[in-house]
Amino acid sequence: MSSPILWIVLPGAVSVLLLVIQRQRLVVYITGTVLALLLAGLAGFLPIGESVSIGTFSIPFADTLTVLGRRFVLDSNDRSTLLLIYLGLAFWLIGSWVAHASRIFVPLSLAVAGLLTAALAVEPFLYAAIILQIAVLVSIPLLSAPGKPTSRGAVRYLTYQTMGFPFILFTGWLIAGTDASVANREPLTLAYILLGLGFWLLLSIIPFHTWIPMIAEESHPYAVAFLLYELPLAVTLFGLGFIERYPWLRETAGLYTLLEIAGVMMILIAGILAAFQDHFGRMMGYVILVEIGLSLIAIRVGMPPGENERLLGLFFAILLPRALSLGVWALALVAFMRHSGEGDKAMAPSQQLKFRELRGSARRLPVATLSLVFAYFSLAGFPLLVGFPVRLAIWEETAKISMVIASGVLAGYIGLIIGGIRSVAVLVLSSDESPWKVSETRLESILLILGSLVLLVMGLLPQLFTPALAQMAEIFLRSSP
Amino acid sequence: MAQSNLQAAPPGQEDRAQPAALSAAQSHLSVWIFRIFAAAIVVVAAVSIAPTIDQWLPQLSEVQILGSVVLIGVGLLHLGLTSDPFWVILGLLTALSGFEIIYAGVEISALVQGLLASVTLGLGVIGAYLILSPTMEPVE
């Protein structure tokens, strides 16, 4: 028995089994959720790399699995990463029942989580790019569900991600012989360019971002939110691993400039475009683009890793607020979809979340409206909500680096806030003076209210979770060889 | 071949019946002339780039490099000219096969070659899925 078998092979095998029995929705849901919680719990307590004693039996629990000459390593330093992945997965799976996600959501999300774990465990870690590509292929049915028209956004997503990973692979070969010596700069310059292009595509940085708003409009909001949380997280962790591993990369001043430019461009353009959207799904897509930009800025603030390790914790500290906010937002959108267009059953899913269809919906769906407002403004960094403290810290540190960059970031968030105010106006204002009523189901209301309370309480008491998450930076850097 | 055996697009999805529109467009002479010229430009660019790449990759022969660069270029050109899932997958497979020719010459790991093969197969499976999914049973 070994840790890669437990955290990589087991989720993959169970996902295949659950795909076979996908019609037994309750069984699939319970099995997937329990497995995710179990794996998260084991990540916290199981002695990795030592023997596990059960009574008189002692079972060796190795931390390495060798496949075709290459190793997958999950040692005790990877606990925090495993917790991050599987607790996050459990969070998304728990809400999937209320979100009425498709019956393939649980199996495929388990498979994606297993593949992301494999990507972070493989050595040499450059091969993670191929495993991430396999995760992309597995995730396509989540975005372009059976029985619905083929999602153009999913096709574009597949195109950009497939174009990105060969750059990373080729860079790996190019720098394999130049780790120790930086005397020969030419291959390093080429590696730098190829690496930049690869991550530009994988992270969907402008102009390779168009697929995100498209799938947010066409696909199920919950599946979109799950995927757009997990995939950029895996890619940014992969990128951090590169920076930590190669001295020539983090000693390049151009890297910091690139991170600043890419980050501020994403935040500024996506934030301003979010203000002009008329579809709640597309709005979520643009906010996710802003989040990707914020991650890049947070990584820049934490550079170089050895000197600013404390500040790199800001990158990890934004993960929990992001997951909570996206989850609540997605649930609210699902509630809107399920309770809108009731007089017109033939409405296409991409039409159900348009502003004109949801005008005045606050009177019918007050809980979903309030939750959406909380989630949106939390991601926009509004005070008193969970997203504010960490974003304020990032803005402060960004201003110390460059006022121009900080101004661009702030302008992007002003665009987000304008979009939020427009959304509230659309949902609340209506010429129809119908009485207020709660149309959400009991389960929807409970989860949405609980989520909104968590967003508020954690915003008022950030000291409860921020230090623990920020410490992950130290653990992550220690686990990189 | 897969697409030629498929049923007609479901009602209300005529706007997505791009294969029919594509075959109609393909029969137009100007489309063919444009595509041939575009491919010729890609081939000329590949011929000019190949010697430079040959210097970076001495392990590969010039013919291998030329072939792979042509495949990558034509694949990318194809991706830029279509949004139909079937043709997009073909374009991706073409570009990927060009990359795999180069990468096979420099990377000897069996795991990587296996993973690349699985990516290629996976692209084919996903391509078939994307074509068939509108006619499949919903899973909501």
Side-chain angles (χ1 to χ4, degrees):
Chain A
M1 187 61 163
S2 65
S3 52
I5 289 178
L6 184 62
W7 279 291
I8 298 173
V9 177
L10 180 63
V14 171
S15 74
V16 172
L17 175 66
L18 294 183
L19 270 174
V20 172
I21 61 168
Q22 59 178 271
R23 291 180 188 272
Q24 313 298 324
R25 295 187 72 130
L26 189 59
V27 172
V28 168
Y29 170 74
I30 292 173
T31 307
T33 309
V34 166
L35 179 65
L37 286 168
L38 190 65
L39 290 175
L42 289 174
F45 301 108
L46 201 60
I48 302 174
E50 303 166 17
S51 294
V52 177
S53 300
I54 304 175
T56 55
F57 297 102
S58 179
I59 304 172
F61 195 68
D63 59 5
T64 304
L65 177 69
T66 304
V67 178
L68 297 174
R70 301 295 175 180
R71 303 186 316 154
F72 291 85
V73 181
L74 287 172
D75 56 24
S76 53
N77 288 328
D78 295 313
R79 285 182 193 282
S80 56
T81 310
L82 289 171
L83 265 172
L84 196 61
I85 292 175
Y86 284 99
L87 264 184
L89 176 67
F91 166 77
W92 289 102
L93 289 182
I94 287 170
S96 65
W97 185 265
V98 179
H100 297 271
S102 71
R103 61 181 189 238
I104 57 174
F105 177 81
V106 172
L108 290 184
S109 55
L110 263 176
V112 166
L115 285 165
L116 295 183
T117 308
L120 296 172
V122 70
E123 286 186 3
F125 84 113
L126 289 155
Y127 299 159
I130 310 181
I131 300 175
L132 285 175
Q133 174 62 15
I134 297 174
V136 166
L137 292 173
V138 167
S139 66
I140 291 292
L142 285 177
L143 301 176
S144 190
K148 296 192 186 306
T150 303
S151 166
R152 295 173 307 133
V155 175
R156 197 171 293 191
Y157 156 65
L158 180 64
T159 304
Y160 286 149
Q161 298 293 309
T162 306
M163 283 164 56
F165 88 91
F167 289 105
I168 311 289
L169 279 188
F170 203 71
T171 305
W173 169 79
L174 207 58
I175 64 179
T178 58
D179 267 344
S181 166
V182 294
N184 187 4
R185 286 284 173 183
E186 199 174 300
L188 288 180
T189 306
L190 181 62
Y192 191 69
I193 293 169
L194 291 177
L195 201 61
L197 273 173
F199 277 102
W200 209 271
L201 282 156
L202 291 183
L203 280 174
S204 314
I205 299 173
I206 291 165
F208 304 114
H209 69 288
T210 52
W211 63 272
I212 291 181
M214 287 169 78
I215 63 163
E217 180 180 11
E218 296 165 348
S219 308
H220 194 279
Y222 201 76
V224 169
F226 163 74
L227 202 64
L228 292 180
Y229 173 75
E230 295 286 348
L231 213 60
L233 170 63
V235 175
T236 43
L237 285 177
F238 183 39
L240 262 181
F242 260 100
I243 294 171
E244 169 59 17
R245 200 172 292 246
Y246 296 108
W248 61 266
L249 189 58
R250 51 173 188 272
E251 286 165 8
T252 309
L255 169 68
Y256 304 152
T257 309
L258 197 62
L259 286 171
E260 289 165 14
I261 291 173
V264 75
M265 204 165 59
M266 292 285 275
I267 294 174
L268 182 61
I269 294 176
I272 290 174
L273 287 175
F276 293 96
Q277 296 307 304
D278 64 351
H279 189 283
F280 284 103
R282 288 182 67 88
M283 198 169 264
M284 184 170 73
Y286 280 103
V287 170
I288 286 167
L289 287 171
V290 169
E291 286 296 301
I292 293 172
L294 185 69
S295 294
L296 295 174
I297 295 289
I299 291 172
R300 166 60 186 101
V301 158
M303 290 290 113
E307 297 167 21
N308 288 347
E309 198 170 282
R310 180 184 59 85
L311 292 177
L312 191 59
L314 290 173
F315 166 75
F316 291 91
I318 55 178
L319 297 178
L320 178 60
R322 179 183 298 164
L324 288 171
S325 305
L326 282 178
V328 171
W329 191 341
L331 271 179
L333 289 184
V334 169
F336 281 127
M337 280 173 63
R338 284 176 48 76
H339 298 283
S340 73
E342 283 164 341
D344 183 4
K345 294 291 183 191
M347 192 184 298
S350 62
Q351 303 297 316
Q352 290 173 327
L353 293 177
K354 276 189 169 290
F355 276 18
R356 65 168 181 264
E357 298 301 329
L358 297 178
R359 195 174 297 280
S361 292
R363 288 178 175 269
R364 291 185 293 113
L365 299 160
V367 179
T369 302
L370 184 69
S371 305
L372 187 143
V373 169
F374 269 37
Y376 186 102
F377 283 103
S378 172
L379 288 168
F382 216 68
L384 299 186
L385 294 172
V386 70
F388 174 68
V390 182
R391 278 162 182 74
L392 180 65
I394 294 174
W395 295 335
E396 283 177 351
E397 295 301 326
T398 308
K400 290 177 189 172
I401 296 170
S402 163
M403 282 306 296
V404 173
I405 301 293
S407 304
V409 169
L410 218 52
Y413 275 93
I414 290 172
L416 273 191
I417 289 173
I418 292 171
I421 294 171
R422 282 187 66 229
S423 305
V424 172
V426 162
L427 290 170
V428 171
L429 297 176
S430 171
S431 56
D432 176 21
E433 291 293 328
S434 57
W436 290 79
K437 66 171 181 175
V438 177
S439 302
E440 296 91 339
T441 64
R442 185 171 299 179
L443 211 47
E444 283 174 351
S445 300
I446 290 171
L447 268 187
L448 286 171
I449 291 171
L450 195 63
S452 304
L453 280 175
V454 169
L455 292 179
L456 187 61
V457 168
M458 292 180 78
L460 294 171
L461 303 169
Q463 65 273 19
L464 291 180
F465 69 95
T466 309
L469 282 173
Q471 265 186 352
M472 286 186 61
E474 185 186 337
I475 299 168
F476 179 82
L477 293 174
R478 203 169 53 224
S479 67
S480 302
Chain B
M1 279 179 65
Q3 201 169 27
S4 65
N5 291 329
L6 292 173
Q7 299 169 6
Q13 294 182 17
E14 290 81 7
D15 59 334
R16 296 192 178 271
Q18 293 191 33
L22 192 62
S23 57
Q26 279 180 323
S27 66
H28 203 285
L29 183 62
S30 60
V31 171
W32 280 108
I33 293 173
F34 168 74
R35 287 171 182 257
I36 288 170
F37 270 102
I41 291 171
V42 168
V43 170
V44 167
V47 168
S48 66
I49 292 170
T52 310
I53 298 176
D54 193 32
Q55 293 173 6
W56 298 337
L57 303 170
Q59 308 93 317
L60 298 175
S61 70
E62 201 171 318
V63 173
Q64 286 173 315
I65 292 172
L66 181 63
S68 62
V69 174
V70 166
L71 280 173
I72 292 172
V74 169
L76 291 178
L77 173 68
H78 198 79
L79 284 172
L81 295 177
T82 182
S83 60
D84 180 73
F86 177 68
W87 297 106
V88 165
I89 295 297
L90 284 188
L92 286 174
L93 286 172
T94 306
L96 200 59
S97 62
F99 165 75
E100 285 177 1
I101 292 173
I102 293 180
Y103 203 65
V106 301
E107 177 61 61
I108 57 172
S109 165
L111 177 65
V112 173
Q113 298 303 332
L115 288 174
L116 274 175
S118 64
V119 167
T120 306
L121 289 171
L123 267 176
V125 169
I126 289 300
Y129 167 81
L130 287 172
I131 295 167
L132 288 172
S133 65
T135 60
M136 292 168 71
E137 178 193 350
V139 292
E140 295 291 327

